[in-house]
Structure formats: C-alpha cells, structure tokens
Amino acid sequence: MDLDAVRTFVAAADAGRFQDAAAALSISQQAVSKRIAALETYLQVRLFTRTARGARLTIDGQAFLPHARELLRVEARADASVRPGRRALRVDVHSRRIAPAVLLQGFHRAHPDVELDVVTLDADAAAAIAAVEAGTIDATFHAVPFSERHLPDVIRTARVLDERHQLLVGPGHPLADASAVTPAQLAGHPIWMPGMAAGTEWAAYYDELAAAFGLTIDVVGPSFGYEAMLVEIADSSELATFVGEGSRYLWPDRYDLRRIPVRNPAPVYPMSLIWRDDNPHPALAQLRDHLGSIRSDLGTGTWTPRWDRGARSAHPGWRGSR
C-alpha cells in the first residue's frame, strides 16, 4: 500500500476538500486526485463522494479512516526506531558486574536524556567486533591486543580504561589480612578462574601475566557463576581469584570476603571502546566524548602485557585508531 496515498487520503478527509489537502501537503490538487484514485483502485472501493462543497467520505472511507491513521502512526514509529538519535544506543558491556558497565552507568547519569540499550554478549573480542561491524550493536568494550589488530577498515578503537586488579579471598586465606599484595607474593597462591575459555583476549592476558610473575592460574572445572564462586572462596583457606578494581560484587556479610589491591607493580587490564567509524548515532559521539573526558593516564608502578605497551606507544590519542 502506498503510504503517500494513505497520507493524502487522511489529509483530504481532515480538510474536506482536495484543494485544501493539496495546500497542506504542498502538492498540486491534480496530484491529490491521482493519489486518491490510485488508493481506491488498490482497495477496490470508493473512499470519497465529490460534492459542490468538497469531498465527503463514503461508508467505506469512514471505515478505512481510523486504520489509515494507524498506518501513519506505525510508519512514524518505524522511522523513529532507526533514525540516528531516535533509537536507543546499543552498547555491549560483556558483564553487568565489570567496570565497563560502571562506566556506561556513569555516562547515563551524566546524560540521562540519552536512551541506552545495555546488552551483555557472551562473546570474545573477535565476535564482539563482528557484531559491531554487522550493526548488531553500536559499540562494545574489550581489550584489543596490538599484535592481533587485524580489524575491518570500518572499525575504530579507543583505549578508555586501565583496570587494576584486586585479589579476592575468604577470611581463612593466608593473605586475608594484608592491606595490599605484590604479584611476587602471589606466586605460591593459585588464582582460581574456572571456565576461562582458551583463545580469548582475557585468556591471552592472564597467560602473559602468569608467565611474567610465576603465577598459577587455575582454570580447571566448570563455571557455575559468580555467586557459586563467591561461596567457594568464602569457605576456602586456599582459593583466591582476581577481580577488577571497578567491578561490582555483592555478597552476604557472613562471607567476610576481602578485596586486596595488587601493587608494586599493579597489573592493569586495558579496555577499549570499539565502534564503526561510519555510525552516525549522535549518542555514540557523546559516549566517546564522555569517556575521553574521564580517561586518566597510567601512573607509575603498573604492569601491562607486551602487546599493550606497543599499542599505547603507537596510538597515544584516545579518540581511536585501527
């Protein structure tokens, strides 16, 4: 069905005269007549009766009018759903517990008028980048190793977060009362990270971290979720895991879990915002500006993987590069 013809029909019904409908639509009266005639041919009914005073709806025209109005409302909603700036900005944070979700919540607080669709893709960097390229999401947060930056031409990345680590232990762990720990102190204490998939960017990061400081990263066993892991750590005198400084975890007071900063040096997990450079959504530009305004440089006494050191020296600007 020709929606221009439907729009013309509604205008003529409201105006009562084809001439007034033509003026309202900024078209000729002849164009109004042709559109109405084409719509009547399509519907196989007469919609108007021409009179000396103008045009009067037939019974069929009266029956069709409320549906015609609804068609135009649906058209407007469909148009608004994909117009840049009208639909919600869809951003993947991978997990609602980790720092990117906190960053995005900060953006929402600073820009409450921006509509967001926050999603959590169960995907590594490659799959998330493919989703950005395909237009399934507008942006995602991931680590992007410099040595693996075989990215599509349309993809841009910007370093937005340097996530420091904390050691999470129960009250019975030997390091439970420490105010801070060094990576060297962790060499004799296995770090439990069950379910970490091989081949992901985070697996590559922790492999290099373990090699650099002689750590044992235990990935054996299935992951039953963070809640189950917290229970196991709280009851154990041996289990410990890494959590990000900006990540959010809640547990009952009786667990008495401890979050202990890792320092001297402080391992840093580098996170980047990833987007398409041809995405015209104005909220994406607002998000990038917001993240750029709060981006802080790494201080001294930190450790990053080799691929990140090359990326930082090669790409000093935050606004993005391939």
Side-chain angles (χ1 to χ4, degrees), residues 23-314:
L25 297 173
S26 298
I27 59 177
S28 67
Q29 184 173 342
Q30 183 181 20
V32 170
S33 298
K34 286 184 176 179
R35 289 181 181 181
I36 297 298
L39 185 60
E40 289 177 330
T41 299
Y42 176 81
L43 296 173
Q44 298 182 349
V45 296
R46 289 184 62 195
L47 298 172
F48 288 100
T49 297
R50 301 294 291 269
T51 69
R53 294 185 175 182
R56 186 178 64 197
L57 288 172
T58 65
I59 294 176
D60 290 320
Q62 293 174 29
F64 181 62
L65 182 59
H67 301 291
R69 295 190 192 280
E70 181 61 22
L71 282 172
L72 298 181
R73 283 192 290 268
V74 170
E75 179 200 25
R77 290 196 297 270
D79 181 82
S81 71
V82 296
R83 287 282 182 182
R86 292 187 177 181
R87 67 165 177 81
L89 183 72
R90 176 172 287 190
V91 183
D92 164 47
V93 295
H94 184 68
S95 170
R96 299 184 193 278
R97 290 186 177 89
I98 63 176
V102 179
L103 285 180
L104 200 58
Q105 186 176 17
F107 171 71
H108 174 65
R109 288 172 176 165
H111 301 274
D113 56 316
V114 174
E115 188 176 356
L116 292 174
D117 181 9
V118 183
V119 299
T120 54
L121 299 184
D122 184 15
D124 63 4
I129 289 170
V132 172
E133 184 183 16
T136 305
I137 54 176
D138 292 302
T140 187
F141 292 88
H142 275 273
V144 184
F146 180 67
S147 61
E148 298 177 5
R149 288 192 174 209
H150 305 299
L151 301 179
D153 289 342
V154 297
I155 295 297
R156 296 292 182 271
T157 70
R159 175 78 163 273
V160 296
L161 174 67
D162 302 313
E163 179 75 328
R164 297 170 185 251
H165 292 301
Q166 294 177 335
L167 185 72
L168 183 67
V169 299
H173 193 277
L175 298 173
D177 295 326
S179 60
V181 295
T182 66
Q185 287 178 286
L186 299 179
H189 300 280
I191 308 300
W192 189 42
M193 307 189 76
M196 186 165 61
T200 58
E201 77 271 17
W202 48 86
Y205 169 85
Y206 283 109
D207 284 346
E208 186 171 340
L209 177 64
F213 296 103
L215 306 183
T216 300
I217 306 293
D218 183 4
V219 299
V220 176
S223 174
F224 293 101
Y226 287 107
E227 291 80 5
M229 185 174 70
L230 295 179
V231 172
E232 294 289 334
I233 291 175
D235 291 340
S236 174
S237 61
E238 297 179 355
L239 295 178
T241 194
F242 282 136
V243 295
E245 184 179 56
S247 60
R248 298 179 289 196
Y249 296 90
L250 297 176
W251 55 77
D253 289 342
R254 67 179 184 276
Y255 286 10
D256 196 19
L257 293 172
R258 320 290 173 85
R259 296 180 66 149
I260 305 169
V262 182
R263 300 174 181 165
N264 299 323
V268 170
Y269 190 85
M271 299 289 289
S272 293
L273 182 73
I274 303 167
W275 74 96
R276 282 186 67 113
D277 70 342
D278 57 356
N279 187 331
H281 201 303
L284 179 58
Q286 287 181 275
L287 174 61
R288 291 168 52 198
D289 288 343
H290 173 81
L291 295 175
S293 69
I294 63 174
R295 173 80 172 92
S296 59
D297 292 332
L298 283 172
T300 59
T302 59
W303 178 91
T304 58
R306 288 186 300 273
W307 47 260
D308 180 61
R309 296 164 206 162
R312 287 193 296 122
S313 62

